Amino acid sequence: MQHLIRTSDFSKDEILELFSDARDFLDFQSNEILKGKIIVTLFFENSTRTRSSFEIAAKRLGAEIVSLDVGTSSTNKGETIFDTVANINAMKPDAIIVRHSDCGLPESLTKFVDCPIVNAGDGKHSHPTQALLDLFTIFEHFDGQTDGKKIAIVGDVRSSRVAGSNRRLLPRFGIDVNLVAPDCFKYDGDEYKQFNNINEIIDDLDIIMSLRTQLERHSEIYFESLNDYAKDYCITEEVMGDRNILLLHPGPVNRNVDISDEMLKDPRNKILEQVTNGVAIRMAVLKKLVK
């Protein structure tokens, strides 16, 4: 039995096999690969894209989805999440998809189950399927020629689990990761090149990944308003110029804070393509872990 807690749970060859399956699934024809399987979603944090993407992916594969409302679950009666998951496991689901605000919690649940756990995001730590769909979007755009490509991940890299997963995954496929953030949002480490402003490296980039400013994950107020942050970190037409740079964002986008209205209409922006690819990638992940 295999779980997906972080991108390193899959080898490079396994990821390329996922990409092959995802290409086949991009026609979005429903099938019965997982007919008779039951998949439980357990989201302790709000989610629109990730939750609906997993649920659509499972249904496209013929699986049944049980989406538990954690707001009315027994955890509100004092039951621990470990007991909740152990009880769900006793009902014999075929996979459990978990999102939680605590780093490491999905991995800790693997000791209480007899089915795959899929991490749909844990705190500031990891969001493996988002990183996989991001890489897939990049991989397809460059026809698999990712070696030597340069990406700038811009914004709240300290708090972003998307940044965390991507900075670990992308170098495995030859992509040079650069981090751009104000000091208050910088990554606490020296494994990656870090910059204060996108203009320092804009001419060398093939990809920009803008991030949402996650003020809810900070205990301090660093900017009087998001507009103050946007003055230096919003990706605009002026920043991009006529450069042939792929623009990505994991969503949700804070318009005119992360990316300007104009750039959201620009053909270099592939955000909705990422969303489409996310369903195909999650179909491939569920096929691999559940079939």
Side-chain angles (χ1 to χ4, degrees):
M1 182 177 63
Q2 190 173 13
H3 305 283
L4 177 57
I5 305 300
R6 55 183 63 83
T7 56
S8 59
D9 290 330
F10 291 158
S11 68
K12 188 172 179 179
D13 285 343
E14 286 178 307
I15 291 170
L16 292 175
E17 289 174 8
L18 287 178
F19 288 0
S20 179
D21 281 340
R23 281 185 210 103
D24 291 339
F25 291 142
L26 280 172
D27 64 5
F28 290 105
Q29 295 299 306
S30 297
N31 58 64
E32 296 186 347
I33 291 174
L34 297 186
K35 183 179 181 180
K37 303 294 186 180
I38 296 176
I39 296 172
V40 174
T41 60
L42 195 56
F43 279 61
F44 289 89
E45 282 189 320
N46 293 334
S47 172
T48 300
R49 273 155 298 277
T50 301
R51 183 170 183 166
S52 58
S53 181
F54 267 116
E55 292 179 359
I56 290 171
K59 289 181 179 180
R60 289 286 187 192
L61 293 170
E64 296 291 332
I65 283 283
V66 177
S67 299
L68 297 185
D69 184 354
V70 296
T72 58
S73 74
S74 292
T75 55
N76 285 341
K77 302 176 183 177
E79 183 177 71
T80 70
I81 186 173
F82 303 103
D83 286 332
T84 296
V85 169
N87 276 273
I88 293 170
N89 180 69
M91 301 177 198
K92 306 302 180 184
D94 296 289
I96 301 174
I97 300 167
V98 181
R99 170 174 284 196
H100 201 279
S101 60
D102 289 352
C103 298
L105 188 132
E107 182 170 27
S108 68
L109 296 178
T110 60
K111 296 178 288 187
F112 297 86
V113 298
D114 303 305
C115 66
I117 292 281
V118 181
N119 180 6
D122 61 328
K124 301 177 183 180
H125 173 240
S126 186
H127 195 346
T129 58
Q130 179 68 48
L132 289 168
L133 75 87
D134 293 337
L135 175 60
F136 181 61
T137 304
I138 295 167
F139 197 86
E140 295 301 281
H141 181 79
F142 292 109
D143 296 322
Q145 304 304 307
T146 57
D147 197 50
K149 300 300 181 188
K150 293 182 183 294
I151 186 171
I153 302 178
V154 182
D156 192 358
V157 296
R158 176 181 295 178
S159 302
S160 173
R161 56 191 169 212
V162 174
S165 285
N166 271 297
R167 68 175 178 251
R168 291 185 287 268
L169 174 64
L170 300 185
R172 294 171 63 190
F173 288 80
I175 299 173
D176 179 13
V177 173
N178 304 270
L179 307 177
V180 179
D183 288 342
C184 57
F185 292 158
K186 274 190 167 60
Y187 170 67
D188 187 18
D190 56 9
E191 308 101 295
Y192 307 95
K193 289 169 283 187
Q194 301 201 64
F195 300 88
N196 295 316
N197 193 290
I198 190 71
N199 292 321
E200 296 178 56
I201 54 169
I202 188 72
D203 291 325
D204 299 326
L205 296 176
D206 302 287
I207 312 142
I208 293 174
M209 179 181 293
S210 174
L211 301 172
R212 182 175 68 86
T213 305
Q214 301 184 55
L215 298 182
E216 73 274 11
R217 297 190 187 277
H218 294 275
S219 57
E220 298 180 52
I221 298 174
Y222 297 110
F223 298 94
E224 289 188 13
S225 73
L226 286 176
N227 290 332
D228 288 336
Y229 166 86
K231 289 175 185 176
D232 294 317
Y233 297 97
C234 184
I235 307 303
T236 64
E237 285 184 324
E238 183 180 3
V239 168
M240 291 284 280
D242 60 359
R243 299 174 182 88
N244 185 22
I245 297 176
L246 186 67
L247 179 59
L248 307 176
H249 193 294
V253 177
N254 289 322
R255 283 178 173 264
N256 300 309
V257 175
D258 310 332
I259 300 174
S260 69
D261 285 337
E262 292 76 19
M263 283 310 305
L264 288 172
K265 300 174 185 175
D266 192 285
R268 291 170 290 183
N269 157 30
K270 303 299 180 184
I271 297 172
L272 293 181
E273 187 174 314
Q274 287 174 270
V275 175
T276 299
N277 289 341
V279 176
I281 282 291
R282 289 174 176 121
M283 289 175 73
V285 167
L286 292 176
K287 175 191 172 187
K288 176 176 178 57
L289 297 181
V290 180
K291 183 179 178 183

